[in-house]
Each structure stands twice: as C-alpha cells, then as structure tokens.
Amino acid sequence: DAKTTQPPSMDCAEGRAANLPCNHSTISGNEYVYWYRQIHSQGPQYIIHGLKNNETNEMASLIITEDRKSSTLILPHATLRDTAVYYCIVRVANNAGNMLTFGGGTRLMVKP
Amino acid sequence: EAGVAQSPRYKIIEKRQSVAFWCNPISGHATLYWYQQILGQGPKLLIQFQNNGVVDDSQLPKDRFSAERLKGVDSTLKIQPAKLEDSAVYLCASSLDRFEQFFGPGTRLTVL
C-alpha cells in the first residue's frame, strides 16, 4: 500500500470550508484514495473514495491532483459535529475485500 | 438498516484471563473485519473473513488471538491469555462491496 502523509491537526471555523490535505506520492495506478473519519468514541465512518477524477457526495468533495500524488478532502460548510480524526488511505480495491491500513490521520477541530 | 452490532461495549479483565468479543455484521455483508485500535493510533486490521473463510490473518497474534465466523454471519474474536498490551478498542466492520466498510461501535478492553 502507498504511504500517506497528513498533518496531525487542523482547526476550522464553523460554517467555513475545511480543506484536509493528503500526500501519497508513491501511489500506483490501480490504487484508490479513500477517506474515513472517526468521531470520538465511535467507529470509523466512510466518507468518500476516488481513483482519478474528482468526486462529490452529500458529505464531502475529493479533489485529486492530475499526477495523483496528493489529494484534498473538502467539507464545504464545517459544523461542530465534523470534529473528528480524518484518515486518508490509499489501497487497491480487490474483489476479495478491502483491507484498510490506517495511519495517524488529521485531527480536525471545528470551532464556533 | 441496522448497523454493525458489537458486544460487550466495555470489558475489564486481569492479565492472563480470557475474553471474547462478538460481532453481528450488516445483513447480507459477506466480508467481515476485526481491527484493533490502541489509544492514540489508527485502527490496525487483525483478520478479514469472506463468508466463513479467512482472507487475511497475517497480523493476528495467533499464539493468543483466535477468531471464527462459523456460519458466515456473526463472528467471535477471542484472546487467551490476555496481556497488558492488549488493552485497546476492538472494532468490527463489514462490507458489501470493494469500497465502503461499515464499522461497529467497538468493544473497549482494559487489561489490568
């Protein structure tokens, strides 16, 4: 699995966009970028994934650079409930399942 | 749709004792995972099942940990005997496709 690098912590003002960066310079062509988050005392929650193109769902947008060596997760209007640890994971999606390797993640603090 | 169920939510034991955790995945999810999350770290995969077969148990400490999923539905993870360093949250997850894993609330184990 490609190694990812994320800042250990970030702050964001409530109502503003939160932009969480992830570096994955050794990513292979068949590896996807996944984002999960973990709110305190809960299990991780899937947010979004992408291969090459930018992706958007009801929770967030994922912007992947053209060379695929980095990506940004965007929470367009952060709320206090978005305070969590955000994990960027790079992994091949195979038919037998998808074993995730979590790093340290980014602790996002949304402040009023 | 009911989520992944785990029990117990909390368990305190003394070292060298045995303990078992139970997980009931989302109905219809063929793939089931057990993760260990030590305080301050990201989750680490212990074992992955596809139906009732083991896909990957390379990170399971087999001298003391065992897991089974006999009928391809619910699963049990056992530790025997427990060590102090086994204190962690044990997370169960299930998935239907290659991309999204659904996590349960976890079992917090404290070994004294």
Side-chain angles (χ1 to χ4, degrees):
Chain A
D1 296 348
K3 179 178 171 60
T4 62
T5 304
Q6 299 178 254
S9 64
M10 292 181 63
D11 289 345
C12 177
E14 188 178 20
R16 303 296 293 269
N19 297 286
L20 293 97
C22 180
N23 223 304
H24 32 79
S25 58
T26 60
I27 191 170
S28 300
N30 60 347
E31 289 183 310
Y32 287 76
V33 179
Y34 300 80
W35 283 85
Y36 279 75
R37 74 179 182 183
Q38 188 171 24
I39 295 170
H40 183 61
S41 296
Q42 297 183 20
Q45 175 191 23
Y46 166 86
I47 301 173
I48 199 166
H49 75 274
L51 183 63
K52 296 180 182 178
N53 299 322
N54 298 336
E55 302 287 346
T56 296
N57 63 19
E58 64 278 5
M59 288 182 68
S61 294
L62 174 60
I63 308 298
I64 302 174
T65 58
E66 194 168 337
D67 64 6
R68 301 187 70 237
K69 293 185 177 181
S70 66
S71 60
T72 301
L73 179 75
I74 301 172
L75 308 179
H77 305 287
T79 70
L80 299 179
R81 287 175 294 182
D82 292 322
T83 292
V85 177
Y86 287 77
Y87 296 100
C88 170
I89 300 164
V90 174
R91 186 70 172 90
V92 173
N94 59 55
N95 289 329
N98 184 20
M99 294 158 276
L100 301 173
T101 301
F102 290 82
T106 295
R107 186 173 298 276
L108 176 68
M109 180 75 71
V110 180
K111 298 184 175 180
Chain B
E1 177 181 87
V4 176
Q6 290 188 250
S7 67
R9 291 296 313 277
Y10 305 91
K11 189 73 176 179
I12 300 174
I13 61 172
E14 295 190 350
K15 60 183 178 183
R16 291 187 290 273
Q17 285 187 321
S18 302
V19 65
F21 314 124
W22 174 81
C23 171
N24 192 13
I26 294 173
S27 177
H29 284 196
T31 311
L32 184 146
Y33 313 79
W34 283 101
Y35 290 84
Q36 178 194 58
Q37 186 170 24
I38 293 171
L39 186 64
Q41 299 179 16
K44 183 186 85 169
L45 179 75
L46 293 175
I47 188 168
Q48 177 190 346
F49 291 93
Q50 180 77 8
N51 295 308
N52 60 352
V54 175
V55 175
D56 187 336
D57 63 356
S58 58
Q59 297 193 82
L60 187 74
K62 298 180 186 65
D63 57 333
R64 297 184 300 106
F65 286 65
S66 64
E68 60 184 14
R69 192 184 184 199
L70 292 176
K71 296 182 179 179
V73 181
D74 56 354
S75 175
T76 303
L77 177 70
K78 296 180 182 177
I79 307 175
Q80 180 179 4
K83 293 185 175 181
L84 297 177
E85 59 260 36
D86 298 332
S87 293
V89 175
Y90 290 85
L91 295 159
C92 179
S94 68
S95 66
L96 184 62
D97 62 22
R98 300 178 295 160
F99 300 109
E100 183 173 0
Q101 292 186 23
F102 295 82
F103 284 79
T107 296
R108 183 176 298 277
L109 173 68
T110 301
V111 182
L112 302 175

